[in-house]
Amino acid sequence: MEQFWDILHTLMHPKSIIEYGGLALLIFVIFAETGLFFGFFLPGDSLLFIAGLLCATSEEARSLGQNGVLNVSIITLVLSVSIAGIAGNFVGYWFGKRTGPLLFKRDDTLLFKKKYIESARDFYQEYGGAALVLGRFMPIIRTFVPIFAGVVQVDYKKFVWYNVMGSFLWVASMTLSGYFLGHTFPQIQNYLEYIVIGIILVSMVPVAITFLRKRVIKK
């Protein structure tokens, strides 16, 4: 049990994920967060940003003959993680299509909350197919939007287009932001904890706005 909690603790911290499992674990975490309903708690945005930053600082370290934390090219990073995000959404869509209305009847558990599916439904109804792109940038929502798209059986060709475009936009914007910041200010890696907190707060703003709008409409 103690080992399980150690692994869970590692999965909650972006730098620990990369230090522990490198690119392989990074790919798995992004896949899980974008396709498996129990992956909603994983740190997608901050993980991508930190991955880009560490990719840049690792390049600097190698140029000085030192070992870096994430020794892959930025192109490899963006492509591999984008593919993981695409694959994750395909799994989410398939899961939603197979389970359908049963999800709305399912009781809440530790790893599943009915309100998450309901939030994804409201978000999709408001933004349509664009929700598959916009949802990528919103914690929790990004996990459940593809599942709901499967529940309502969105046109598959349309889903594929938004899935691919959304994944590349999300991954590229986050990783390249970290990458260029890491090259411009290499010393910023000493303040990763503050960066993670900042990214989490910023990424939660759209979720909070959506929630507040729902409360106001109900009133």
Side-chain angles (χ1 to χ4, degrees):
M1 180 61 70
E2 183 177 349
Q3 186 178 12
F4 169 78
W5 289 112
D6 287 341
I7 294 174
L8 186 62
H9 182 268
T10 297
L11 292 176
M12 292 297 292
H13 292 78
K15 187 178 180 182
S16 297
I17 290 172
I18 297 170
E19 289 178 332
Y20 183 81
L23 180 62
L25 185 56
L26 167 61
I27 288 173
F28 173 76
V29 169
I30 295 301
F31 169 79
E33 196 203 10
T34 56
L36 307 180
F37 70 88
F38 57 79
F40 65 90
F41 66 91
L42 296 170
D45 294 327
S46 55
L47 177 59
L48 292 178
F49 185 90
I50 297 302
L53 193 154
L54 292 177
C55 182
T57 56
S58 294
E59 287 180 357
E60 297 287 340
R62 290 197 301 274
S63 68
L64 298 174
Q66 303 170 356
N67 291 324
V69 177
L70 187 59
N71 297 308
V72 298
S73 70
I74 187 62
I75 295 176
T76 299
L77 177 63
V78 172
L79 289 178
S80 59
V81 178
S82 294
I83 292 172
I86 292 169
N89 265 19
F90 277 131
V91 171
Y93 181 89
W94 173 84
F95 178 77
K97 188 174 181 179
R98 290 294 298 271
T99 56
L102 293 176
L103 285 175
F104 291 97
K105 299 177 182 179
R106 181 173 179 171
D107 294 330
D108 287 350
T109 65
L110 179 63
L111 296 177
F112 176 83
K113 304 294 181 184
K114 192 185 301 181
K115 65 181 181 180
Y116 297 151
I117 288 290
E118 293 172 348
S119 296
R121 176 190 59 192
D122 295 341
F123 188 74
Y124 187 86
Q125 289 175 344
E126 182 173 357
Y127 294 103
L132 293 165
V133 177
L134 298 175
R136 291 278 188 176
F137 296 85
M138 301 174 67
I140 301 177
I141 292 292
R142 78 169 62 96
T143 302
F144 291 95
V145 163
I147 294 175
F148 181 75
V151 170
V152 299
Q153 298 188 24
V154 172
D155 178 75
Y156 191 68
K157 291 182 179 179
K158 182 179 180 181
F159 175 79
V160 170
W161 164 248
Y162 282 116
N163 180 19
V164 173
M165 180 173 63
S167 185
F168 276 106
L169 286 175
W170 177 51
V171 172
S173 62
M174 291 295 172
T175 54
L176 291 178
S177 295
Y179 180 78
F180 289 118
L181 188 63
H183 267 302
T184 305
F185 305 103
Q187 68 277 11
I188 201 171
Q189 65 179 315
N190 298 322
Y191 305 95
L192 293 183
E193 292 82 3
Y194 300 104
I195 294 174
V196 170
I197 293 173
I199 293 173
I200 292 174
L201 292 176
V202 170
S203 63
M204 287 303 295
V205 169
V207 178
I209 292 174
T210 301
F211 174 77
L212 291 174
R213 287 176 63 183
K214 283 181 59 180
R215 293 289 296 273
V216 170
I217 292 174
K218 287 182 178 180
K219 291 181 179 179

